[in-house]
Amino acid sequence: MTRARLVAWHVFKESVRDRVLFAIAGFALVLVAASVLIGQITAGQDVKIIKDIGLATLELSGVLMAVFIGVGLVSREIERRSIYSVLAKPVHRWEFVVGKYAGLVGTIVLNLVLMTVALFLLLAWLEGKMPDPGLLKGVVLILAELALLTAVALFFSTFSSSGILSAGLTLGVFVVGLFSEDLRGFSGIVSSPVLASAVRAIGVVVPAFSAFDIKADVVNGRPPVPWAYVAMTVLYACFYVSALVGGAVAVFSRREFK
Amino acid sequence: MSVVLRLDHLTKDFETGVLGRRRQRALDDVSFELVRGEVFGLLGPNGAGKTTTLKLIAGLLRPTAGRVSVFGSAPGDRAARAALGFLPEQPVFYDHLTAEELLVYFAGLCGISGVDRAQRAASVLDEVGLGAARRQPMRQYSRGMLQRVGLAQALIHQPALVILDEPMSGLDPIGRREVRELVLRLRDDGRTVLFSSHILSDAETLCSRVAILARGRLVASGGIGDLTAGRAGRWEIVAASLSPAAAAGLQTQAARVTRIAHGRYSFELREGDGPEPFIAAVAASGGSLVSAVSTRATLEDVFVERVS
């Protein structure tokens, strides 16, 4: 695992020095600042709006990082041919893939922690008291969602040599996953059994990203979101992450480098 | 002598075309072996299969048929890669890192412990002449500097077998001389070096043995002395004070003629022809002899003959 840790640290360092990250962080700051302004012109709703926009910004900046840095995790190494030197070293391919994944998730965690701290400080200043810790349930599920989305991006990154195609596929899976419940329901109203089965299969195979979206519930405080739901959803993410990273390892282990 | 690397009937096809239904043979039944402490040159024109061979040895490609053995292990094994240092052709690294950071990272991947990584990185960067620039981001490096970083990363874990794909590429004459000296130092340390090149003078200076590839096939292999032995030398005669008509007359007795200056010509005689009749013909044409030099058969002669 030492080598996987080194690869992870390398990805973390590269991501932190990447201009894309600064752009995303800048964008997030602008959104948070905008939420304060919007809150001031909305009578009595300022704290709620800041919570809404704050959580949405956490999620959106994480999605941008997971997709646009994630799709390049492996394919960029292949494109710039640095992969030749790395894989000629005594490194197992699974160590490389797992390290790449862990490094980007680490970067996303850091980003999420810093932005959550900033959001809580802002809320504490506006409310004059500690913000509702229930918001953290939303943050935990955003993190689980981003870890899952990073695994999707990594999976596509291992066999597609085009960053644009990988990003398109990853975003496609994300969007379909946001509507997975609708897809399952849609299968009940189509007349063709083949189409119904196909739609149901997509709804089952594609991870249900909609399950992670509890932002409105934690902002309003009702209906209350039990910690058991959070834990089960995190477990659900872990299952998909294991399958996707395992798939990425399997694909990458068979890959040749011309 | 212990065998370090063995290629047995190595063949590699690449799938091309829609759905990979067409196959293109990049390497066809290539066999050779390297023994400990030798410098071995893999020669051939562009597209001959040199890089494919080296990538198969480094475990970046899998053979279609045949096998590669590095110290008795398959190239994909960790033990084989721990004993092998690889410089890819025209290496590219991470723009955001300095050469020192890159080498510390690679040293870690090679299993070198934390405290020794920085020390080893500094030492190998000094060895390739990059000590002064080691803390400069690599995005500011020239092509030649990146080539040196590539050499350094191949040597970071002191491998017993060093594989260099076109190591002189992108280097100026001083850089090329330094790399030649480095390869000889590695040999003197008892390490084995396999390098590919299409610069025959480098191979002739450095290698004890070579293999020549053409269109994916091994067309010659052996010691340079063995490959050039048994070939008659050629004579090169330089004559002055010759009229164009006299030079044209002498041309019929030579393999090649080159005009050097007004009235001065260089004649390369045919293989096996002695110089005396030609010198007499020069005198009879009113010219004067400047020099007569015997040139032995070179690797270039062997290369041109086998490849074409």
Side-chain angles (χ1 to χ4, degrees):
Chain A
M1 280 305 275
T2 311
R3 288 174 173 89
R5 257 206 318 269
L6 278 169
V7 175
W9 175 242
H10 173 72
V11 173
F12 180 78
K13 208 151 72 173
E14 184 175 16
S15 305
V16 167
R17 291 181 188 179
D18 200 324
R19 274 179 234 145
V20 174
L21 188 70
F22 287 108
I24 293 168
F27 169 68
L29 280 175
V30 168
L31 274 184
V32 171
S35 73
V36 176
L37 288 175
I38 293 167
Q40 281 174 352
I41 56 171
T42 318
Q45 293 291 308
D46 53 342
V47 170
K48 185 181 169 299
I49 284 177
I50 289 168
K51 283 179 183 174
D52 271 335
I53 297 182
L55 286 180
T57 304
L58 287 183
E59 185 182 26
L60 187 59
S61 64
V63 166
L64 292 176
M65 281 175 69
V67 175
F68 292 105
I69 302 179
V71 294
L73 276 176
V74 175
S75 59
R76 250 175 91 185
E77 293 260 9
I78 297 168
E79 208 174 273
R80 67 185 166 200
R81 291 177 286 125
S82 47
I83 196 91
Y84 300 152
S85 306
V86 175
L87 293 185
K89 302 277 179 290
V91 180
H92 288 306
R93 292 199 181 181
W94 70 262
E95 291 173 319
F96 181 76
V97 172
V98 170
K100 284 275 174 187
Y101 175 73
L104 183 52
V105 170
T107 313
I108 289 172
V109 168
L110 178 73
N111 178 60
L112 214 57
V113 167
L114 292 177
M115 288 180 68
T116 304
V117 169
L119 180 64
F120 271 60
L121 287 175
L122 181 64
L123 290 170
W125 175 62
L126 286 171
E127 292 183 300
K129 60 173 183 159
M130 262 302 287
D132 174 18
L135 279 180
L136 286 176
K137 291 175 188 167
V139 176
V140 168
L141 285 196
I142 288 172
L143 176 58
E145 177 188 43
L146 297 177
L148 175 51
L149 189 61
T150 305
V152 174
L154 173 81
F155 179 70
F156 288 127
S157 173
T158 51
F159 62 80
S160 166
S161 48
S162 158
I164 295 169
L165 178 66
S166 300
L169 289 169
T170 307
L171 282 172
V173 168
F174 182 57
V175 171
V176 170
L178 287 176
F179 296 102
S180 62
E181 281 176 30
D182 296 340
L183 279 177
R184 280 174 221 158
F186 182 70
S187 65
I189 57 167
V190 291
S191 52
S192 161
V194 177
L195 185 61
S197 304
V199 171
R200 200 180 308 118
I202 292 171
V204 169
V205 171
V206 173
F209 282 103
S210 53
F212 299 88
D213 186 10
I214 56 165
K215 292 190 293 294
D217 297 338
V218 293
V219 167
N220 294 320
R222 59 183 185 276
V225 180
W227 275 108
Y229 176 81
V230 175
M232 285 308 290
T233 313
V234 168
L235 269 177
Y236 172 81
C238 289
F239 167 76
Y240 266 101
V241 165
S242 309
L244 285 162
V245 174
V249 168
V251 171
F252 192 67
S253 298
R254 292 195 50 77
R255 218 177 148 162
E256 294 190 279
F257 301 97
K258 276 196 214 175
Chain B
M1 295 291 270
S2 59
V3 174
V4 167
L5 171 71
R6 176 173 285 135
L7 275 64
D8 280 328
H9 304 287
L10 198 61
T11 298
K12 179 65 187 172
D13 293 340
F14 287 116
E15 292 176 345
T16 58
V18 181
L19 302 173
R21 295 178 78 162
R22 279 174 48 212
R23 289 183 156 239
Q24 189 180 356
R25 183 144 292 185
L27 212 59
D28 192 3
D29 196 28
V30 170
S31 300
F32 62 82
E33 58 183 35
L34 268 70
V35 294
R36 188 175 179 275
E38 75 171 325
V39 179
F40 191 99
L42 189 60
L43 310 177
N46 293 335
K50 303 186 295 291
T51 296
T52 301
T53 306
L54 299 189
K55 283 184 179 173
L56 283 160
I57 297 168
L60 297 168
L61 293 172
R62 279 190 302 278
T64 306
R67 63 187 290 267
V68 179
S69 157
V70 181
F71 292 98
S73 303
D77 292 356
R78 183 174 262 180
R81 279 177 290 146
L84 179 153
F86 177 57
L87 165 71
E89 188 180 9
Q90 297 189 341
V92 182
F93 300 106
Y94 311 98
D95 283 350
H96 68 285
L97 293 184
T98 66
E100 187 176 52
E101 286 172 328
L102 177 86
L103 289 192
V104 167
Y105 170 47
F106 279 179
L109 293 182
C110 292
I112 297 170
S113 68
V115 283
D116 295 332
R117 285 177 202 158
Q119 202 180 350
R120 183 76 202 119
S123 149
V124 79
L125 282 169
D126 283 339
E127 203 172 347
V128 298
L130 271 182
R134 68 177 193 270
R135 292 198 176 136
Q136 204 176 315
M138 282 189 286
R139 73 173 75 91
Q140 297 169 4
Y141 278 16
S142 66
R143 178 78 250 142
M145 289 166 90
L146 284 173
Q147 188 72 6
R148 287 163 192 259
V149 176
L151 281 164
Q153 63 80 30
L155 302 174
I156 187 74
H157 54 306
Q158 298 177 299
L161 170 62
V162 182
I163 294 175
L164 310 172
D165 195 355
E166 301 283 359
M168 312 296 184
S169 169
L171 295 175
D172 57 24
I174 296 167
R176 286 175 57 184
R177 177 186 284 186
E178 286 172 358
V179 171
R180 278 199 293 271
E181 288 167 0
L182 175 68
V183 169
L184 294 175
R185 276 204 304 277
L186 291 170
R187 182 201 61 190
D188 294 344
D189 285 352
R191 286 189 262 169
T192 310
V193 180
L194 165 63
F195 76 88
S196 75
S197 181
H198 54 258
I199 302 170
L200 300 177
S201 59
D202 290 335
E204 210 153 23
T205 325
L206 292 170
C207 300
S208 48
R209 291 193 306 137
V210 296
I212 301 175
L213 291 176
R215 293 174 296 279
R217 287 172 176 268
L218 187 66
V219 291
S221 72
I224 292 174
D226 298 334
L227 289 173
T228 54
R231 289 164 182 279
R234 289 171 188 263
W235 282 87
E236 191 179 316
I237 312 285
V238 176
S241 310
L242 286 172
S243 66
L250 289 166
Q251 191 174 354
T252 57
Q253 299 174 48
R256 200 163 59 183
V257 60
T258 311
R259 184 174 174 272
I260 301 168
H262 179 68
R264 181 181 282 244
Y265 293 85
S266 164
F267 299 91
E268 193 181 301
L269 303 191
R270 293 186 190 92
E271 208 171 276
D273 282 359
E276 296 84 1
F278 193 85
I279 292 169
V282 168
S285 307
S288 59
L289 179 70
V290 176
S291 66
V293 177
S294 167
T295 56
R296 64 178 178 81
T298 63
L299 188 57
E300 185 175 319
D301 297 320
V302 178
F303 183 87
V304 170
E305 180 195 298
R306 299 295 176 95
V307 167
S308 58

